[in-house]
Amino acid sequence: MQPTDSGEREFLLRRAAEIWRYFRENCTAASHHLPPDNVQLSPPASGADRTSPTNIAMALAGALSALELGIASETEALTLCGNILDTIGRLPKWKGHLYNWYDTKTLAPLDPAYVSTVDSGNLAAALLLCAADAETDDASLAGRMRALAEKMDFAALYDSEKNLFVIGFD
């Protein structure tokens, strides 16, 4: 793989800064620091009052990537991750898994209370990758991420007769 030239690097850093801005501006106390599923840009409106495990995974990965790329301060990125982890700790779960959708204002799972194997996998992967990355910046944050991933019981989502994971659990 060839290294990117300076123009490509600048283009990618601008896109990364835009992604970081999305999480920085939308993961606020009003949403319990959880990212909205989407934000309507035209006409302008606030973010959706719902989130998913994949959205949460992307916010965590986005914060630590922004830190690594030098577009977020250590305090800013680690504080957001810590706030998200605090909220995850308060969310109702099934066998360690987050439900597929939560109301970001009330933190209640949205009906139907469903666990998506794909979303759970996205969150577990992000937690473990972020934990490995955060280890040098904040060992306690990394430990919290690992602990959340380890509590996710993937055996509950595995069909041993078919030798594959189920799509989810309702």
Side-chain angles (χ1 to χ4, degrees), residues 76-88:
E76 191 177 31
L78 297 181
T79 297
L80 177 59
C81 289
N83 287 336
I84 291 171
L85 295 175
D86 289 345
T87 301
I88 291 173

Side-chain angles (χ1 to χ4, degrees), residues 46 97 107 118 131 166:
S46 63
H97 294 273
L107 301 183
V118 170
V166 299

Side-chain angles (χ1 to χ4, degrees), residues 17-166:
E18 289 171 0
I19 292 167
W20 169 238
R21 189 179 77 226
Y22 174 84
F23 292 119
R24 189 184 70 236
E25 291 177 359
N26 291 291
C27 296
T28 65
S31 68
H32 295 92
H33 305 282
L34 298 176
D37 181 57
N38 59 73
V39 173
Q40 181 175 311
L41 298 177
S42 182
S46 63
D49 293 331
R50 66 180 175 278
T51 196
S52 71
T54 296
N55 294 334
I56 295 167
M58 294 301 103
L60 292 168
L64 292 177
S65 295
L67 172 59
E68 207 167 290
L69 291 169
I71 53 180
S73 72
E74 184 173 327
T75 300
E76 191 177 31
L78 297 181
T79 297
L80 177 59
C81 289
N83 287 336
I84 291 171
L85 295 175
D86 289 345
T87 301
I88 291 173
R90 297 182 3 232
L91 294 175
K93 298 171 191 68
W94 177 80
K95 297 187 184 257
H97 294 273
L98 296 185
Y99 290 100
N100 208 45
W101 293 106
Y102 288 91
D103 182 308
T104 57
K105 296 209 181 294
T106 67
L107 301 183
L110 297 177
D111 287 331
Y114 178 79
V115 172
S116 163
T117 302
V118 170
D119 278 81
S120 286
N122 290 340
L123 180 58
L127 286 167
L128 293 172
L129 288 169
C130 289
D133 187 54
E135 190 68 50
T136 57
D137 297 311
D138 188 331
S140 65
L141 188 73
R144 290 174 68 195
M145 289 178 178
R146 261 192 223 89
L148 283 167
E150 289 169 1
K151 288 179 183 172
M152 297 170 81
D153 179 6
F154 279 93
L157 296 170
Y158 188 74
D159 183 335
S160 58
E161 289 181 22
K162 294 181 181 175
N163 201 28
L164 53 85
F165 283 98
V166 299

